[in-house]
Amino acid sequence: HTRSFHVTGVQTCALPISTGYFGTDTFQYTATNAGGTSSAATATITISPPTLVASPVAGALTAGTVGSAYSNVTLTTSGGASPYTYAVTTGSLPAGLSLSAGVISGTPTTAGTSSFTITATDSSTSSHTTLATNYSIAVALATQATLNASASASSINTNGTSTVSTTGGSGTGAVSYAVTSGTCTISGTTVTAGTVAETCTVTATKAADSAYAATTATVNITVSLPTPTLTFTTPTSASVTMGGSLTNAAKIGRAHV
């Protein structure tokens, strides 16, 4: 740009430069006094481009949860000529989220961490100024509804059995069972007690799926020794003469005495 000015005496000149302009501007001027007018002189002014500042700063943005509306993040920029426009220029937002007019919103559909770059562009008239900022958003699986575990018999004798089951939870994850305390064993959903009195703890785990994190529940089964019974084996009846003797056998549980 070349401007021409006529200067009389000591003057301050306001150059007609457009708002949002940066770059090099050249103008000519002359000076006039009682002795006449000087030859034209040329001056050059360089206007530096603005320095844009992004908010939020680079880094992790508010985390999200699968299936829940995202807490909208609004991007703002200062330092340049407004209004600003925004675009994802590398990477991608988490599935289910979108960027519109500087606002990230939506409902995440997939868990994981997404990294991306958003570029802000100002409205400078000579050449737009841009600022690229790197962000990430972590999306977590949702928490399942409460999982409840129960046993068909919460108290059994040694070598006895009980069946465990669950209610509640969320999603399509399968349920598995494991004995996490005690000497009981489990096959499928059937718990078999050992030979000692104790409390066995069974932990039920409902696995994660694409929407929900895994969750667990526990149930306790009390194992008791059976009440002993005394049974005479042989003979069940007998006759003995005065001064004679009789030998008999009895069984307590599984032991003979």
Side-chain angles (χ1 to χ4, degrees):
H1 300 274
T2 299
R3 324 284 189 191
S4 296
F5 298 92
H6 178 75
V7 180
T8 301
V10 178
Q11 298 287 334
T12 299
C13 299
L15 301 179
I17 298 175
S18 302
T19 300
Y21 172 84
F22 64 87
T24 299
D25 200 293
T26 300
F27 63 93
Q28 293 181 327
Y29 66 93
T30 59
T32 301
N33 61 16
T37 299
S38 70
S39 299
T42 300
T44 300
I45 294 177
T46 299
I47 301 174
S48 299
T51 299
L52 303 186
V53 178
S55 178
V57 297
L61 299 178
T62 302
T65 301
V66 171
S68 297
Y70 185 64
S71 298
N72 296 355
V73 169
T74 300
L75 307 173
T76 61
T77 306
S78 59
S82 59
Y84 299 88
T85 59
Y86 300 88
V88 177
T89 49
T90 62
S92 61
L93 296 173
L97 300 187
S98 61
L99 172 66
S100 177
V103 178
I104 300 174
S105 61
T107 300
T109 59
T110 305
T113 298
S114 298
S115 298
F116 50 91
T117 301
I118 293 180
T119 298
T121 303
D122 81 342
S123 298
S124 297
T125 55
S126 53
S127 178
H128 297 311
T129 302
T130 61
L131 175 64
T133 308
N134 297 323
Y135 296 111
S136 65
I137 294 177
V139 177
L141 290 170
T143 300
Q144 293 190 38
T146 300
L147 183 69
N148 301 294
S150 60
S152 60
S154 59
S155 296
I156 57 177
N157 288 336
T158 53
N159 298 308
T161 61
S162 181
T163 301
V164 290
S165 60
T166 59
T167 58
S170 303
T172 59
V175 177
S176 59
Y177 301 91
V179 175
T180 51
S181 177
T183 61
C184 297
T185 59
I186 188 167
S187 176
T189 59
T190 301
V191 178
T192 302
T195 59
V196 297
E198 61 181 341
T199 297
C200 291
T201 300
V202 177
T203 298
T205 301
K206 185 170 175 59
D209 61 11
S210 60
Y212 294 95
T215 190
T216 61
T218 59
V219 59
N220 292 326
I221 299 173
T222 301
V223 179
S224 303
L225 294 173
T227 302
T229 57
L230 177 61
T231 305
F232 286 99
T233 55
T234 57
T236 56
S237 63
S239 299
V240 62
T241 60
M242 182 68 70
S245 63
L246 174 66
T247 300
N248 206 338
K251 182 170 66 175
I252 301 176
R254 294 181 180 179
H256 290 274
V257 295

